[in-house]
Amino acid sequence: MPRVNEPVVEEHVVERDDEYRRVRTVRTVCAVIDIVCWTFAIVLLVHIFLVIAGANVSNGFFQFVAGWADGITLGLDGLFTPENASVATLLNEGLAALLWLIIGGLLTTLITRVALPVGHRRAWYRRTTAVR
């Protein structure tokens, strides 16, 4: 028999369902893709800055950045061949940096469109209509 003046305590167990796990996983994967693509673009931009500024090529930091930049240029090293090496670096690696950002954006958009449940997707537009 319950006592009259005691508060009623009810325990609700909330389980995280598959939808929550899927949303969390998709958002984590998209965050990793964003971080990788932005890191590659920033490394390329730092290399462009060092080349244009005339940094010492025998410096360890320059060699470290140049080594990274050589591996992530997406094969665009010799696409543009102007006479000035600084301009060539700007055009080739600038295009590669831009492509990394575009690739990251396209991948995350595609993954969220395909893998997220309908209620968790980003709305590209909202149309409101006046009710008469």
Side-chain angles (χ1 to χ4, degrees), residues 22-24 26-27 111-122:
R22 186 190 321 170
V23 169
R24 189 180 68 199
V26 168
R27 291 195 173 146
I111 289 170
T112 55
R113 287 282 188 186
V114 171
L116 281 182
V118 174
H120 295 279
R121 295 180 185 163
R122 276 184 281 177

Side-chain angles (χ1 to χ4, degrees), residues 4-89:
V4 176
N5 292 332
E6 281 189 23
V8 177
V9 177
E10 293 182 26
E11 183 177 322
H12 294 282
V13 177
V14 178
E15 295 183 20
R16 295 182 171 168
D17 59 347
D18 290 337
E19 182 177 315
Y20 172 78
R21 280 192 288 266
R22 186 190 321 170
V23 169
R24 189 180 68 199
T25 302
V26 168
R27 291 195 173 146
T28 302
V29 167
C30 289
V32 168
I33 290 171
D34 279 340
I35 290 169
V36 168
C37 290
W38 274 95
T39 302
F40 287 173
I42 289 171
V43 167
L44 289 169
L45 292 175
V46 168
H47 186 250
I48 291 169
F49 171 74
L50 292 174
V51 169
I52 290 175
N56 181 6
V57 295
S58 62
N59 182 285
F61 179 72
F62 182 90
Q63 290 177 352
F64 175 75
V65 172
W68 266 79
D70 287 341
I72 57 176
T73 56
L74 299 172
L76 299 175
D77 283 339
L79 183 63
F80 300 105
T81 56
E83 292 181 17
N84 189 344
S86 297
V87 174
T89 302

Side-chain angles (χ1 to χ4, degrees), residues 121-128:
R121 295 180 185 163
R122 276 184 281 177
W124 288 101
Y125 67 91
R126 296 198 187 274
R127 183 169 71 183
T128 56

